[in-house]
Amino acid sequence: MKSNNLSNHNFAAILPGDSLAGLVVSNGILNFLNIYNSLLVARLVLTWFPNTPPLIVNPLSTLCDPYLNIFRGVIPPLGGTLDLSPILAFLVLNALTSTASALPAELPSQRGSSSEKHPSFLTSISHLTNSQKKWLKRFNGNKSKDSECNL
């Protein structure tokens, strides 16, 4: 009977790591989350200054407060004034950012056993993922074209 263990599969690649569309989507999500993280920092720093112009605070409040209000319902203010909910908001946002950065990840395939004898060149290349092998092939192809042009 054949067992179908989850440990035998490579589940790191949610988006194919070698497709341009997948890289654009994952980098777009990652950039959005990083920009939103910066906006949250700016919003929270501006709350420390009571005389900040509304021209700056209002757009940031419109963008950031709906997200922060989710966590204000979970963690009430301490002593009525100290709001610790942004800490939880940043933890969740950092978890989402880490997840977004791992979207195009690709685990190397596990071929053969360590007891097999390989030439040193094949051993150094066998650990690469499919997308890394494609980039290496493209790089070596461009290198040979450049050397032909120089002759």
Side-chain angles (χ1 to χ4, degrees), residues 2-100:
K2 195 177 194 181
S3 68
N4 191 6
N5 292 336
L6 293 178
S7 62
N8 293 336
H9 302 287
N10 295 330
F11 285 114
I14 294 173
L15 295 173
D18 57 347
S19 74
L20 183 61
L23 289 174
V24 168
V25 168
S26 63
N27 285 336
I29 292 170
L30 186 61
N31 288 335
F32 170 77
L33 291 173
N34 285 330
I35 290 170
Y36 197 74
N37 194 4
S38 300
L39 290 174
L40 280 176
V41 168
R43 168 72 174 111
L44 294 173
V45 167
L46 288 176
T47 60
W48 297 342
F49 303 102
N51 297 330
T52 309
L55 186 63
I56 297 172
V57 175
N58 288 343
L60 285 175
S61 296
T62 303
L63 291 172
C64 299
D65 282 351
Y67 177 68
L68 291 172
N69 287 339
I70 295 169
F71 301 100
R72 286 183 180 134
V74 175
I75 302 175
L78 293 177
T81 58
L82 184 61
D83 188 14
L84 297 178
S85 62
I87 295 172
L88 183 59
F90 278 115
L91 287 174
V92 170
L93 190 63
N94 285 335
L96 290 174
T97 304
S98 297
T99 303

Side-chain angles (χ1 to χ4, degrees), residues 16-19 104 106 128-136 138:
D18 57 347
S19 74
E106 185 177 340
L128 298 176
T129 63
N130 288 337
S131 61
Q132 290 171 332
K133 288 177 185 175
K134 286 181 183 179
W135 279 107
L136 186 62
R138 289 176 190 162

